[in-house]
Amino acid sequence: MIKFLDLKALNARYQDEFKSKFESFLNSGSYMLGAEVVGFEKEFSNYCGVKYGIGVSSGLDALQLIFEAYKTLRILQKGDEVIVPANTYIATVLAISNTGLTPVLVEPNSQTFNIDINAILKAITPRTKAILGVHLYGQLYDVDALEAISNEHNLILIEDAAQAHGAEHTDGRKAGNVSDVAAFSFYPTKNLGALGDAGAITTNNLELSQTIQKLRNYGRTSAYKNEFKGFNSRLDELQAAFLRIKLKDLDNENDKKREIAQFYLENITSNQIVLPVGHSKQHVFHQFVIRCEKRNELQEYLSKNGIETMIHYPLAIHKQKAYIELSSMSLPISERLSDTVLSLPINASIKETEMLKIVSVINQFK
């Protein structure tokens, strides 16, 4: 079976460095918010091209802390509307509702899978205070358009960059630096993945950064002195150490994924398949997502031929039981994508023979 993602194989090349880092970590006696976290925050913020980076415990916490910080600074308040794509992972929307804000789901562009610009414009009301854009599957949303809209309507622009580590806009800015503030996940499956859960926030806003730093650590300003009602959402010192090792190789990993994507794009010729669009540096191919009207049949066919695939995502947010209050919404594009998308294996550990088999099997699908 060709695995969709083999994390053991993917991380094997770092094994010796991981072991060395663990020994240093163990001997340091500094296990919380120590030198490794500080080092990673500096290195990752420099990589993204921003002034400030804050390590946190997960991608969801990263988004939630952003909203909590804006509320703490009285820039957002309970009930404010946040425009968000309907075809994202549920964590994106949970961050809005969990912090007392109101998610406004809008349709994606059916070609890029990213939030549709016209849908944003139609959704803006006097209660709209922010846009939460998602760089879905590793491709930057329409940066110029979202910046123009947010500036024109005086809206906060937030990136969910959980899938887009290293994606680069045409002007050279990377994901994490094309908005007011960005949230990253380092879940093990990401292009930059930890060996557990981890996340980060990047911004050029000093006041926002300082507020988030306090909120992630119980709202404290110093030992036993707390300015805010905060949270326990700190980046683990050991995960930071591992991430520092892998960050040095991120651009190479992204280039390998682009090469695999290009191979698929050039060699998958089945008329049953709709291939993804957008193949410049703006896409880092966290996932390679095709569409097929007979998606379920195709997935079963591939499985029988020893190829593991996944669906990102089988249910749009408004169809999730968790958001039953949104179930009456009509979002046909999001629903159609949920019914037709399929993700193929794409990771740096995949072999050329496996790529050839995947293409060959797909092209024989009727």
Side-chain angles (χ1 to χ4, degrees):
M1 174 69 76
I2 300 174
K3 291 185 177 182
F4 181 75
L5 179 60
D6 187 342
L7 288 175
K8 182 178 179 180
L10 198 64
N11 286 304
R13 75 195 73 178
Y14 307 110
Q15 185 170 311
D16 291 341
E17 288 182 274
F18 287 160
K19 289 178 178 178
S20 177
K21 272 290 186 181
F22 177 75
E23 187 174 348
S24 297
F25 158 79
L26 195 62
N27 292 330
S28 72
S30 177
Y31 304 144
M32 300 293 292
L33 295 182
E36 295 293 352
V37 169
V38 172
F40 176 71
E41 289 175 336
K42 181 178 180 180
E43 290 161 9
F44 189 66
S45 59
N46 286 343
Y47 175 83
C48 294
V50 298
K51 294 178 181 178
Y52 312 109
I54 309 103
V56 298
S57 58
S58 71
L60 173 58
D61 277 5
L63 285 170
Q64 290 183 167
L65 285 167
I66 288 169
F67 289 123
E68 290 289 353
Y70 276 120
K71 287 167 60 184
T72 298
L73 294 170
R74 303 187 183 280
I75 296 170
L76 290 177
Q77 60 184 357
K78 186 177 180 180
D80 284 345
E81 292 180 351
V82 180
I83 294 174
V84 63
N87 64 320
T88 184
Y89 184 57
I90 195 170
T92 310
V93 185
L94 285 173
I96 301 170
S97 56
N98 284 355
T99 52
L101 303 170
T102 303
V104 177
L105 305 183
V106 301
E107 292 275 46
N109 179 293
S110 61
Q111 301 302 308
T112 66
F113 305 122
N114 280 330
I115 193 166
D116 183 81
I117 305 308
N118 291 325
I120 293 174
L121 293 171
K122 291 177 182 177
I124 294 173
T125 74
R127 293 180 60 198
T128 306
K129 301 301 179 184
I131 301 171
L132 176 51
V134 181
H135 305 310
L136 198 64
Y137 306 142
Q139 181 167 212
L140 294 183
Y141 57 56
D142 189 334
V143 171
D144 296 331
L146 262 68
E147 286 182 329
I149 292 171
S150 61
N151 288 334
E152 181 180 352
H153 296 273
N154 194 29
L155 303 176
I156 301 165
L157 179 57
I158 303 166
E159 294 170 71
D160 181 339
Q163 302 181 8
H165 318 72
E168 188 175 311
H169 187 41
T170 52
D171 63 9
R173 288 180 296 159
K174 284 188 170 70
N177 189 26
V178 293
S179 65
D180 296 304
V181 60
F184 287 88
S185 167
F186 304 118
Y187 188 75
T189 61
K190 305 300 185 187
N191 285 31
L192 179 59
L195 273 68
D197 229 335
I201 296 161
T202 57
T203 184
N204 287 306
N205 185 320
L206 175 60
E207 186 178 27
L208 185 66
S209 171
Q210 291 174 334
T211 304
I212 292 169
Q213 283 184 320
K214 295 170 187 175
L215 286 172
R216 72 167 175 185
N217 193 25
Y218 300 102
R220 60 181 276 178
T221 53
S222 60
Y224 306 112
K225 291 186 179 180
N226 302 70
E227 184 177 352
F228 309 124
K229 295 175 182 176
F231 308 87
N232 179 358
S233 183
R234 301 167 294 207
L235 175 60
D236 182 80
E237 184 77 357
L238 186 58
Q239 296 304 331
F242 293 156
L243 286 166
R244 294 181 75 184
I245 293 169
K246 296 183 72 174
L247 178 59
K248 293 180 288 187
D249 203 31
L250 176 58
D251 286 340
N252 289 332
E253 294 291 296
N254 286 342
D255 285 341
K256 289 176 185 176
K257 296 191 88 169
R258 289 191 186 102
E259 289 174 9
I260 297 167
Q262 193 61 38
F263 180 85
Y264 287 155
L265 291 166
E266 292 175 357
N267 291 282
I268 294 176
T269 57
S270 170
N271 58 13
Q272 301 286 333
I273 306 300
V274 177
L275 294 166
V277 300
H279 315 118
S280 65
K281 285 188 175 182
Q282 296 191 64
H283 206 322
V284 292
F285 288 99
H286 171 58
Q287 307 295 351
F288 187 91
V289 181
I290 62 174
R291 287 178 290 154
C292 179
E293 293 298 321
K294 298 187 286 185
R295 188 270 309 284
N296 294 342
E297 293 176 43
L298 174 61
Q299 185 174 40
E300 183 179 356
Y301 163 77
L302 290 171
S303 180
K304 287 180 178 178
N305 282 274
I307 300 167
E308 187 179 29
T309 58
M310 292 192 70
I311 300 171
H312 298 94
Y313 301 98
L315 278 178
I317 301 299
H318 68 298
K319 294 298 182 181
Q320 296 279 359
K321 187 175 180 180
Y323 282 99
I324 194 169
E325 69 272 19
L326 302 176
S327 60
S328 63
M329 293 188 71
S330 176
L331 295 163
I333 297 174
S334 297
E335 293 169 28
R336 190 67 182 154
L337 290 177
S338 294
D339 291 338
T340 59
V341 293
L342 187 68
S343 301
L344 302 182
I346 181 167
N347 62 84
S349 66
I350 197 170
K351 301 179 179 67
E352 185 177 355
T353 54
E354 293 174 327
M355 292 161 55
L356 288 166
K357 178 179 178 179
I358 291 167
V359 167
S360 175
V361 172
I362 288 176
N363 284 341
Q364 295 174 57
F365 179 71
K366 303 297 183 183

